[in-house]
Amino acid sequence: YKYLYVRNAERPVVKIPDPVLRQVASPVTKVGAGESKLIDEMLRVMKKANGIGLAAPQLGVLKRIITIAPHGMPPLALVNPKITEREGSTIAQEGCLSIPGLYGDVERNLKIVVEGFDRRGKAIAFEMEGMPARVVQHEVDHLEGVLFIDKVDVATLHWMHPESSDDDVE
């Protein structure tokens, strides 16, 4: 798995133990061309890595921006996302592009309401359930410097090559 942890132009996602992953991202005060360009890059990197979510700190940028693309849903960018409502509980396996090959069960809310801004700076809000809700919670954690390994049921942690897995990687 060592080669999966190399960061270069081909694999631009920041990997543990890079300290940027443990820092709190700053709010975006104005959504402009720089943020739009960053969102485009995040969507490109996420797709190339076969991910279903990515937070700006995973590209080394401490801004509160996430992108998500769970199966069956068009890609979505959220600037300054904030989870305003939470309901229910569910446990499912998660992985992370910043910790390639490691998976484990994490408890998350089943339903959420997330508010934020789109790439044009327009206020948006979504009710999400199931996998989309899980992905948003995982990515919002990244903005707080929290990784899935901080919330995982340690007994369920296991290594599996990401390219041999059918599991979703957030």
Side-chain angles (χ1 to χ4, degrees), residues 79-166:
V79 178
N80 295 337
K82 184 175 182 183
I83 298 170
T84 58
E85 294 180 36
R86 298 172 180 269
E87 184 181 319
S89 175
T90 180
I91 297 172
Q93 182 171 271
E94 291 186 20
C96 183
L97 295 173
S98 291
I99 315 172
L102 187 62
Y103 300 89
D105 291 348
V106 178
E107 184 174 2
R108 301 272 185 195
N109 294 109
L110 179 62
K111 295 180 182 180
I112 64 165
V113 173
V114 61
E115 298 176 2
F117 299 91
D118 68 11
R119 67 186 313 147
R120 291 173 197 84
K122 179 184 168 211
I124 52 176
F126 295 95
E127 289 183 23
M128 295 186 172
E129 184 174 348
M131 183 59 78
R134 175 171 295 279
V135 177
V136 167
Q137 291 170 83
H138 179 109
E139 301 310 331
V140 168
D141 276 354
H142 273 296
L143 303 180
E144 297 298 326
V146 174
L147 301 174
F148 91 96
I149 55 174
D150 301 326
K151 296 184 171 190
V152 74
D153 176 351
V154 177
T156 66
L157 280 173
H158 62 282
W159 291 95
M160 182 171 33
H161 197 283
E163 291 159 16
S164 69
S165 164
D166 290 332

Side-chain angles (χ1 to χ4, degrees), residues 54-69:
L54 191 69
Q58 290 179 278
L59 291 184
V61 180
L62 285 171
K63 290 186 176 185
R64 297 187 79 79
I65 300 174
I66 65 171
T67 55
I68 67 165

